[in-house]
Amino acid sequence: MAAEISDRVREIAEENDLPESEVFERALERGLETLWEDVVLKRYLDGGIDREEAIEQVGRAKVERAEREQQIVEEDTDWGLNA
Amino acid sequence: MTLAAVSDSGPLIHLAEIDSLELLSAFDTLLVPETVYAEIEAGGVPSGLADVSYELVDVDGEASAKEELDAGESAAIAVAAERDIVLLTDDLAARRFASDGGIEVHGSIGVIALAHGRGRLDADEAAARMRALQRETSLFVTEAVIERGIELLNEER
């Protein structure tokens, strides 16, 4: 896994003509963004923040996608437990 | 209750990615359209599929084709409609299309819940597999949504 990450970092750096440190920095930013979105969506789905606030923080498309996913997970779980 | 389903490639791939294809044996009958099998074959048939009891079914490609869906999804929907059985798909567009047509549709999460409901997995193992589905597979599901599914499992305890 570590070797695979090193290889990927090297390839990305070469492809974009960037130093490897810059690749790590961008990866960290993107990773943090995703983790932050998970936090916001969790707060919204748990009722901690309202819909408008969630949309303001992560965008309407991600909120609507999470709502649709939640509906599906609830439907599937309820069905599976009772089929 | 006897339960029959037809699957498109999504649940077969996603359950294979977490070594959980055996959960499909919670269904009494499982059908896989030839088109779907061909799609899976193109990426390499997962080894666990050999241990699952399923029947390959042929579907008239032209009759089942739906513009907005791929051939495998279209074939699986056609079989589900024709035989009045459950459709298994993880594709949101296919799910919506089938639901609008009155077909009962569920996905990989439903298969895990069904295996738990039928006593093949305890709640902790079902929760672990739901989390693995979110973290270790190509299925895109928001983490918080998976945790909601696990809450529902636990509410049944």
Side-chain angles (χ1 to χ4, degrees):
Chain A
M1 186 65 179
E4 192 179 316
I5 289 172
S6 298
D7 290 346
R8 283 203 176 167
V9 168
R10 196 176 312 115
E11 272 194 54
I12 293 167
E14 285 170 8
E15 188 73 25
N16 294 290
D17 198 20
L18 291 171
E20 290 187 12
S21 59
E22 173 92 15
V23 174
F24 277 115
E25 195 176 317
R26 290 189 185 186
L28 183 62
E29 282 172 7
R30 284 200 193 182
L32 277 176
E33 184 63 23
T34 302
L35 293 172
W36 174 246
E37 286 170 1
D38 283 344
V39 167
V40 172
L41 291 171
K42 183 171 191 312
R43 284 179 184 163
Y44 166 56
L45 296 173
D46 288 347
I49 59 173
D50 66 24
R51 192 169 192 269
E52 287 314 308
E53 193 175 342
I55 289 172
E56 196 177 302
Q57 295 196 41
V58 300
R60 183 174 299 277
K62 286 187 172 131
V63 169
E64 288 179 351
R65 166 100 192 184
E67 288 168 342
R68 176 81 181 119
E69 287 174 6
Q70 172 154 278
Q71 183 193 350
I72 287 171
V73 166
E74 288 180 354
E75 279 174 11
D76 274 16
T77 307
D78 185 55
W79 166 78
L81 293 174
N82 297 293
Chain B
M1 189 178 81
T2 302
L3 200 53
V6 56
S7 185
D8 74 11
S9 57
L12 299 176
I13 291 169
H14 299 138
L15 291 170
E17 286 175 328
I18 56 167
D19 296 324
S20 293
L21 278 172
E22 85 281 2
L23 301 184
L24 289 166
S25 55
F27 291 94
D28 302 289
T29 304
L30 178 67
L31 305 180
V32 177
E34 298 269 11
T35 319
V36 170
Y37 189 85
E39 286 175 358
I40 292 171
E41 208 171 24
V45 178
S47 56
L49 196 58
D51 300 325
V52 178
S53 175
Y54 62 93
E55 182 189 334
L56 284 176
V57 288
D58 196 14
V59 183
D60 182 339
E62 281 190 23
S64 71
K66 290 160 187 69
E67 205 172 289
E68 61 271 48
L69 304 175
D70 74 25
E73 291 159 358
S74 297
I77 288 172
V79 173
E82 184 187 309
R83 304 195 187 202
D84 193 20
I85 59 177
V86 173
L87 169 70
L88 297 178
T89 182
D90 287 328
D91 183 86
L92 292 181
R95 185 171 182 126
R96 182 165 292 151
F97 188 96
S99 287
D100 289 349
I103 295 168
E104 182 163 7
V105 195
H106 300 288
S108 296
I109 295 285
V111 174
I112 293 172
L114 178 69
H116 172 54
R118 294 200 154 190
R120 291 165 186 263
L121 287 179
D122 64 28
D124 288 340
E125 185 58 27
R129 296 204 195 194
M130 282 192 183
R131 288 195 180 102
L133 204 55
Q134 193 268 329
R135 291 176 186 164
E136 298 167 23
T137 76
S138 47
L139 173 67
F140 181 83
V141 195
T142 306
E143 187 175 355
V145 171
I146 287 290
E147 292 305 318
R148 174 66 188 139
I150 292 168
E151 273 176 32
L152 291 173
L153 286 180
N154 290 330
E155 283 171 12
E156 293 290 317
R157 282 180 171 178

